[in-house]
Amino acid sequence: MPVSPLLGRSLLRVTDLTAVELNTLLSLAIRLKGVPLRDQFTLLRGRTLIMLFEQPSLRTRVSFEVGIAQLGGQAIVASGDEFMLGSRESPEDAARSLARYADAIMIRTYNHQLLERLAGASTVPVINGLSQQAHPCQALADLLTIRERFGTLEGLRLAYIGDGRNNVAQSLAEAAALAGVSITFGCPATHRPSDAFLAKLVQLGGAHDITARAFTSPIRAAKEVDVVYTDIWTSMGDEQYIERNAAALLSYQVNEKLMRAAAKHAIFMHCLPAHRGEEVTDGVIDGIQSVVFDQAENRMHAQKALLLALLTDLRGFEL
Ligand code: CP
């Protein structure tokens, strides 16, 4: 009987996974996409996922909710002042209570330390649905989308244009590195990932011998890459920096000129929601190179694989 290496574990950051585990999750997601829905609804029958949202969400909430329903389980959502971790009660007490009701907890919170405290006290898996520091579920969907497009990940080159320090950029880069994808960041000095982070990416790449570099020129960063990725200039929770970020990132818009610097076969990616006319033009996000809605769909497939791997022994899914 296969035993999931992820059974009972939590996913707070991409680096909670080994390269092999990441590959297993992506392979499982691809396998699941080929299984008719009528054959999926017993896989998590009777299982419950509790989802806590301190911040707004469209894709994360709906993709988890539909995904677990397709597997025969159910999701329960609490948001806003329904839970107020850290002020109404400690995250540890909340975790110990919720673990009595549910098989897994997903939480979207700005405060990553709160998430770690919740996971530390929980007896069921905790999934990070986006924190200030990380968005691992998005990274799983991103890698799944790239792998489907190119048939492989190893040896590809990805450029992230914009705020190279934000949660989406950092989780994406970690996942890409683990999978053998080289990364360039195109960002101003104010939004450049640290040298220590770039060195960590090379280390995560292991035997793949990847590169991880940052350029102030977005055109240079995008030169001949296979994937161009961007995100909104100001992440949720950092709204006080909107004007400062817009000024600093104005010349880092992904537009038609920038896409011409990438390889002819390059794809354009964005985690959504997008601010059209800011970090990306309509022409690029609606253009033939854009895969943003495949990415959005893959949130559901990647998370279904994740839930199966955290909650079952993966019987019947030898990979
Ligand atoms: N990409 C993403 O996390 O989308 P939502 O904020 O809509 O969940």
Side-chain angles (χ1 to χ4, degrees):
M1 180 194 307
V3 174
S4 168
L6 293 169
L7 183 63
R9 282 168 47 188
S10 291
L11 181 70
L12 306 190
R13 296 177 176 279
V14 166
T15 49
D16 291 340
L17 302 171
T18 65
V20 170
E21 289 165 353
L22 172 63
N23 186 51
T24 298
L25 281 176
L26 299 179
S27 297
L28 179 59
I30 290 168
R31 278 279 298 278
L32 261 183
K33 285 179 84 165
V35 177
L37 284 181
R38 66 175 177 276
D39 295 331
Q40 294 190 21
F41 75 97
T42 55
L43 295 173
L44 287 183
R45 188 162 52 194
R47 304 299 189 96
T48 300
L49 171 70
I50 292 182
M51 299 198 289
L52 307 176
F53 287 95
E54 274 186 350
Q55 294 171 314
S57 169
L58 177 68
R59 279 147 290 270
T60 303
R61 174 178 172 166
V62 177
S63 58
F64 264 113
E65 211 164 333
V66 174
I68 195 165
Q70 289 183 358
L71 296 172
Q74 63 167 338
I76 292 173
V77 179
S79 60
D81 59 9
E82 284 175 297
F83 57 98
M84 297 171 75
L85 298 186
S87 57
R88 184 163 180 260
E89 64 184 313
S90 75
E92 288 82 4
D93 285 351
R96 291 181 192 116
S97 301
L98 293 173
R100 300 291 181 105
Y101 310 134
D103 299 282
I105 302 166
M106 191 237 72
I107 178 165
R108 169 169 288 195
T109 176
Y110 185 80
N111 185 337
H112 193 85
Q113 284 69 39
L114 187 148
L115 176 69
E116 285 175 344
R117 286 176 58 189
L118 188 90
S122 177
T123 52
V124 299
V126 174
I127 301 168
N128 180 358
L130 185 146
S131 69
Q132 185 200 19
Q133 295 183 15
H135 199 357
C137 294
Q138 182 66 54
L140 290 178
D142 296 340
L143 272 277
L144 176 59
T145 307
I146 300 169
R147 183 163 140 181
E148 286 181 329
R149 276 285 159 153
F150 293 99
T152 184
L153 290 167
E154 188 175 1
L156 295 178
R157 288 176 297 168
L158 179 151
Y160 184 93
I161 310 296
D163 180 1
R165 295 180 177 179
N166 80 15
N167 43 16
V168 168
Q170 303 241 325
S171 289
L172 170 70
E174 289 169 349
L178 276 176
V181 178
S182 287
I183 303 119
T184 51
F185 291 90
C187 45
T190 47
H191 293 70
R192 184 186 191 278
S194 68
D195 288 337
F197 183 72
L198 295 175
K200 185 181 97 172
L201 293 179
V202 173
Q203 201 176 8
L204 285 175
H208 291 301
D209 201 21
I210 65 158
T211 57
R213 293 183 291 174
F215 298 101
T216 50
S217 162
I219 296 282
R220 183 143 183 233
K223 196 165 170 48
E224 293 301 326
V225 296
D226 304 291
V227 180
V228 177
Y229 199 117
T230 193
D231 186 11
I232 53 174
W233 287 338
T234 299
S235 301
M236 276 186 289
D238 290 333
E239 285 77 11
Q240 70 269 33
Y241 302 121
I242 285 179
E243 286 183 15
R244 185 198 72 179
N245 289 343
L249 294 166
L250 192 61
S251 54
Y252 291 84
Q253 182 188 65
V254 177
N255 52 32
E256 289 76 353
K257 182 179 171 204
L258 186 125
M259 287 303 293
R260 281 196 292 277
K264 279 200 167 49
H265 61 255
I267 56 174
F268 169 73
M269 303 184 76
H270 192 305
C271 58
L272 303 176
H275 290 177
R276 290 162 174 260
E278 293 184 12
E279 76 275 3
V280 62
T281 59
D282 283 336
V284 169
I285 198 168
D286 295 330
I288 56 169
Q289 290 169 288
S290 175
V291 298
V292 300
F293 299 110
D294 293 333
Q295 256 181 287
E297 178 185 332
N298 276 336
R299 288 296 305 275
M300 182 175 74
H301 301 298
Q303 290 157 192
K304 285 170 69 176
L306 177 64
L307 288 169
L308 272 186
L310 298 182
L311 299 180
T312 77
D313 61 10
L314 294 182
R315 189 194 313 231
F317 285 97
E318 292 78 8
L319 295 164

